[in-house]
Amino acid sequence: FTQELQLLGDIGEFNYLIGLYYYDEKVDETITTILNSPLSAAAAIRLNRSTSYSIDSKSYAGFAQIGWKPSFANGDLEVVGGIRYTEDKKRLDSVSVSTTVTTTTLTQARSDKWNNVGWLGSISYKVLPDVLLYARASSAYRSGGYNAPTVGAPPFGPETARSYEAGIKSDFFDRRVRLNVAAFQ
């Protein structure tokens, strides 16, 4: 289940976006493996392994963005800034039963929480009615998680990234030719 609520509008030279985000997921899976390993032409050892796990994930976020188009620039200049706070909570319960000559049972139960503050900033300027210059910087985040089929494996941490982009977007000859150029890291 996921839900997002957004409130957006304009106040004079400013536009805004404010929102909340919620995500709730439950995953249940069972993986069964049967392997026969020959010892000789007439004998083999059989390995039966069954791993069952469940992962409960919840994510909460709040975000805000504000843009400014100053009147002195006749709507040709826009400056935008934004921020997002995210909190992720995950719980793992897993059990693995392996049988050859004997039976071995492994269990794992753990809860983890990660959070992040993300941001963005951009500026754009129409140097001509059909030519826009822009620059943007932002951060990104993906929560940590589990290698659930491997009981006892430690969780993996969250990923973060920063990106930077600058470029030009243009239309020529009554919008019959478009030229867009960007540099991105």
Side-chain angles (χ1 to χ4, degrees):
F1 176 80
T2 185
Q3 190 67 45
E4 185 168 328
L5 174 67
Q6 294 184 356
L7 176 64
L8 54 112
D10 296 305
I11 299 174
E13 297 178 346
F14 295 91
N15 59 71
Y16 62 88
L17 168 68
I18 301 169
L20 298 171
Y21 174 78
Y22 175 72
Y23 174 83
D24 186 1
E25 178 185 48
K26 181 170 175 117
V27 173
D28 293 302
E29 185 174 22
T30 299
I31 302 169
T32 301
T33 306
I34 300 171
L35 296 172
N36 289 314
S37 298
L39 296 174
S40 67
I45 290 180
R46 181 177 176 140
L47 167 66
N48 293 343
R49 181 173 49 221
S50 179
T51 302
S52 297
Y53 64 88
S54 68
I55 300 175
D56 290 320
S57 301
K58 290 187 186 331
S59 183
Y60 310 87
F63 53 92
Q65 179 176 304
I66 190 164
W68 177 46
K69 286 187 171 183
S71 58
F72 69 80
N74 299 321
D76 293 335
L77 173 68
E78 183 174 26
V79 179
V80 176
I83 192 164
R84 177 184 178 108
Y85 174 78
T86 305
E87 181 174 289
D88 292 301
K89 297 178 181 179
K90 294 189 180 187
R91 175 159 178 79
L92 168 69
D93 292 297
S94 59
V95 117
S96 179
V97 179
S98 300
T99 304
T100 53
V101 178
T102 62
T103 299
T104 304
T105 302
L106 299 172
T107 61
Q108 181 177 18
R110 67 175 301 136
S111 292
D112 292 280
K113 182 169 86 168
W114 300 276
N115 58 55
N116 178 264
V117 176
W119 52 269
L120 74 84
S122 72
I123 187 168
S124 61
Y125 183 67
K126 284 187 175 180
V127 293
L128 296 170
D130 294 330
V131 178
L132 175 79
L133 297 174
Y134 71 94
R136 175 184 170 106
S138 63
S139 67
Y141 159 80
R142 182 167 42 183
S143 78
Y146 305 110
N147 182 4
T150 306
V151 176
F156 55 86
E159 296 179 35
T160 58
R162 290 187 179 160
S163 66
Y164 306 94
E165 182 178 1
I168 183 172
K169 295 180 183 271
S170 57
D171 291 316
F172 299 103
F173 306 110
D174 200 26
R175 298 181 62 179
R176 289 187 175 92
V177 175
R178 176 169 289 161
L179 175 65
N180 296 337
V181 177
F184 178 86
Q185 179 182 2

